[in-house]
Structures are given as C-alpha cells and as structure tokens.
Amino acid sequence: MSDELAYASISDLGRMLRTRAVSCEELAKTLIARTDQIDPRLNSYITRTPERALDDARAADDELRRGVDRGALHGIPVSIKDHIATAGIATSAGARFRLSNVPTADAAVVRRLRGAGAVVMGKANMNKFAGGESGDNPDFGRIRTPWKTEFSAGGSSGGSGAMVAAGLVPLSIGTDNGGSIRIPAALCGVVGFKPTFGRVSLDGVFPRAYTFDHVGPLTRSVADSALALQAIAGHDPGNDTTVRRAVPDYVTAMRAPLRALRIGVDADYDAVCQPAVLERVQAAVGVLERLGASVRAVRLPPYAEFDAVSYAMGPEFSASLGGLWRDNPTEFGTEDTAWQVAGELVPAVDYIRGMQRRRVLARQYARATRDVDVLVCPSYAFERRPFGSWPDIAGRAATFDDAVRFTIPFDLLGVPALSLPCGFTDDGLPIGLQLVGRAFDETTVLRAAYAYEQATDWHRRRPPLSPV
C-alpha cells in the first residue's frame, strides 16, 4: 500500500479519499514515514512539519465526513519551496541564519492551496537565495536526484523536484526566474510548469527578480500539473504581479486532440546539447508528429541577446537583496556577491535600455513563432549535473550560460513553459523535453504535453530508491 499511495496521482488519491479507501490522515502518515526513510539520502527538505500536517489531514477528513469537499487538492499532501512564506513555519530562502524568520501570513499561493484543502508537509530545500541551478546549498547541503544520488537534483527548486520524484509528496510548489522549476524537473524526471508571468501571484515570495520571478507546480504527471495550476492561478486583488484574466478549465482543455497543432523547432537551440539529450528530444518531436502535429522550422533571437538583457536586469536582484547583503555579506557566496555588486553598478540608463531591448526581443520572438502553436526544445542541455563541476559539452567545459540557455529566455519573455520526461540516458538518468507556448496559453502547452505523455511511459518509471 505504501508504494501505491506514494506514486498515486492526485486524481487517484482524490478518489481513494472520497471512497474512504484511505483517509487523509493515513495518507499523510504514510508519506511522513516514507520521508523518514528516504529523505536522508536526498536532503530534499529544510523544515518538516509532521504534527501540523497530521492536524490538517484530520481536519480534511472531518470536512469530507461532513460533506465539505474543497476540490481536487482536498487532503492532498504538498510541500512549499522555502522562500515562499508560510504562516507559523520558518521561511529561510535557503539561508540558515534566516530560520528565525517565521511569517505571520501565508504567501498568496499557499493561501490558495490551503483554501483548496491541501495539507502542507513542510518546506523544500533549495539553492541559497534561489541562486543558480547547482542544487548545492552551503547551509543545508546538497540536494540529490533519487535516480542516482551522486548527482544533483538541480536548482534552485531542487528539493521540490527530488521529493516529488521519490514519492514523498505528489505536488510541490517551486519558483523559476532562470529555469529553477524546469531544470530540477528535467534532472528528476518529473513535470515542472512555469506559467505565464502574471498568472500566479508572487505575493509572499522572497524576491529575486521582480519582473521575471514565476511560481509554479512540480508533479509526476501533466494531469496533476493541470490540477495544481487550476488551484493556484488567478488574479490576486491588491497585488500587482497578477493580471485580471479568466482562468481556463485546464483539465478539460488538456484532453483535446493534437490535430492541426503546429510545433516550432529551432535547430540552433539544440546545437549545444549533450548527445543523449539531443537524441531523446528529437525522438519526442517524432512522437508528436505521429500524434498529428506538424513541425516547422523557426529562428529564435540568439541566446546571447537574452543573456545580455538578463545582465542588464541585474538591478532587480540588487534591489531585492541589497539590504540583506549589506547587513550579512558573509552569508552570500561568490556568485551571488558578484550579481549583487554588478547589479548595483548597472547605470539606470542601461537598465532602461535593457527593458527596451527586452520588448524588442519579445516582438522578435512573437514574429518568429507566429505560425506555430508550441515551441519544442530541451529543458536542460546536460545528461547529468555533477556536484562541484561542470560537465563537458561540445569539446569544452560547460558554463552557466549553457545550463540556462533553454530556460532564461522564456523567463524574460514571461511565456508559459513546461518540462516533462522524454527519455533516459543509458545509465538511467532522466532527460527533459520543454514545451513553450504563447502568453496566457497554458492550455495549448498542457494539451501537447498530455498527448505526448499518454503516448509514452517515461512518467511511469520510478527511481531505484526504496525505503530501507
């Protein structure tokens, strides 16, 4: 029963809860025990709240007995990345000295989850201050992928990816401003969805970059991602990071067939991939074609232009963390210190020019993709992420820009992007396929992802990691 519950989908868990095959409390207890056994090898949590979770699970059971059903997430265990505010639970942003920071109010996304009946199990480990994709936190340790624990789960939402892949929770909420949802999703073999900027509120999220931070779900299936997004999306009154747009019925729209779907592929964006990544992504495109989609060549703006704009946006990082950095300089590593100093040195005129150039890139991207519905590319260029070093790629040592070249552009553009498993390396490590849509068209992304997922079985594989 333990594995059945640990790897059940959100919808299957919902049916079990409503038919009394299992109670919310039993489900929570099962995952708490599983976490006790498995997480010491993954290091996916910073703070766990088992007693509070059990209290919330009992309350969810009581509501179901009284006929109160809050929807698809009622009684479903979830975790929250540790720079998203949780009332009464430490929110450290991955920094040990901030464990004394205990918010008095939930972030907007947590309020929505609690309102939907979800049971919060704790706070997920992450790169310190959400910086980088290494999955290596100097304060709380390395976050390991359950597929091969000598390798990284990725970052910065690495704890979320690892625990979902290992069956510790069916849903974790992460954040993304350079690939921090999609990279862990790729390395952990799960689904990670960064919705359109403005679709999910940033209220209560420890900021890193005001105009391209995103909140989104990590799950084990596309359908679960749709259910999660349904719960957390929508306008947040009084908060200017969301827009007044109707939230579609993602679950219904996701099941529409792929007929006439036009897929865009830019061959230049695949040039820096390690061989297994390129091979698996190309094979995935073939699957989508067989399902009825057509493939068209597109030419996106060069990554170097997005990279230059991201550096021009450095003042956003400095504005978010400036006071904390000045008061606690020794808490910042070399990379974050460099970002902080560089951001403070960017003249206002260059920041404005960067914003102008960002709009130009958005227009160029819109023109390049006007004849396609979804863009397809890798989620991550590497077959694996070692700790403490970069892999070799194209005959040289890889760089941070290689790591984020498939993700940062879509944060800057603010468009929806989803990573899902599309295969494995020869030694059993997952590889991610990325699907990118137009702004506020999450439904088409979900439709393409769901059709591909149903035609393959990559998402059904489980890591070779069982309780001891």
Side-chain angles (χ1 to χ4, degrees), residues 325-341:
W325 178 72
R326 283 186 287 274
D327 292 342
N328 307 273
T330 60
E331 293 292 339
F332 285 74
T334 302
E335 184 176 336
D336 273 345
T337 296
W339 270 97
Q340 182 66 41
V341 172

Side-chain angles (χ1 to χ4, degrees), residues 40 91 143 145 308 344 374:
T91 301
I143 312 165
T145 174
E344 292 188 350
V374 174

Side-chain angles (χ1 to χ4, degrees), residues 58-82:
R58 294 180 193 110
D61 280 327
D62 181 63
E63 286 190 330
L64 288 176
R65 282 192 292 268
R66 292 186 288 109
V68 177
D69 189 335
R70 296 175 181 267
L73 298 188
H74 191 117
I76 300 298
V78 304
S79 69
I80 311 294
K81 188 176 180 179
D82 201 37

Side-chain angles (χ1 to χ4, degrees), residues 37 48 123 148 187 237 282 285 290 304 341 420 430 439 443:
Q37 295 172 315
R48 294 176 60 195
K123 307 300 289 292
K148 284 186 180 291
L187 290 171
Q282 288 174 339
V285 171
R290 291 193 292 275
V341 172
L420 77 163
T443 55

Side-chain angles (χ1 to χ4, degrees), residues 170-333:
L171 165 64
S172 187
I173 300 298
T175 63
D176 193 314
N177 65 54
S180 291
I181 288 173
R182 291 158 289 159
I183 291 171
L187 290 171
C188 294
V190 299
V191 177
F193 197 4
K194 178 195 79 70
T196 308
F197 183 83
R199 181 64 89 182
V200 180
S201 176
L202 295 173
D203 179 51
V205 177
F206 186 86
R208 187 168 177 92
Y210 176 74
T211 65
F212 50 103
D213 282 338
H214 298 72
V215 173
L218 291 98
T219 62
R220 285 189 296 273
S221 71
V222 175
D224 282 358
S225 186
L227 288 170
L229 185 59
Q230 199 78 55
I232 65 176
H235 177 61
D236 182 17
N239 182 264
D240 62 1
T241 63
T242 54
V243 298
R244 294 182 180 276
R245 294 182 72 112
V247 176
D249 181 343
Y250 293 122
V251 176
T252 299
M254 170 191 75
R255 301 180 188 281
L258 284 194
R259 288 190 300 271
L261 187 80
R262 303 165 300 174
I263 293 173
V265 176
D266 185 340
D268 286 351
Y269 264 53
D270 296 344
V272 299
C273 286
Q274 289 184 314
V277 175
L278 183 57
E279 180 183 320
R280 306 305 189 269
V281 170
Q282 288 174 339
V285 171
V287 171
L288 290 167
E289 283 188 285
R290 291 193 292 275
L291 292 172
S294 61
V295 176
R296 305 184 182 198
V298 299
R299 179 73 65 177
L300 302 181
Y303 170 76
E305 295 199 29
F306 289 105
D307 189 39
V309 168
S310 73
Y311 281 100
M313 299 295 100
E316 294 192 14
F317 175 75
S318 299
S320 297
L321 291 176
L324 199 61
W325 178 72
R326 283 186 287 274
D327 292 342
N328 307 273
T330 60
E331 293 292 339
F332 285 74

Side-chain angles (χ1 to χ4, degrees), residues 79-126:
S79 69
I80 311 294
K81 188 176 180 179
D82 201 37
H83 74 150
I84 301 174
T86 42
I89 305 172
T91 301
S92 74
R96 187 173 296 279
F97 81 99
R98 296 191 77 252
L99 281 174
S100 59
N101 176 55
V102 180
T104 58
D106 286 327
V109 65
V110 179
R111 290 197 301 272
R112 286 181 178 266
L113 288 169
R114 291 194 190 280
V119 174
V120 175
M121 306 289 281
K123 307 300 289 292
N125 202 354
M126 56 183 284

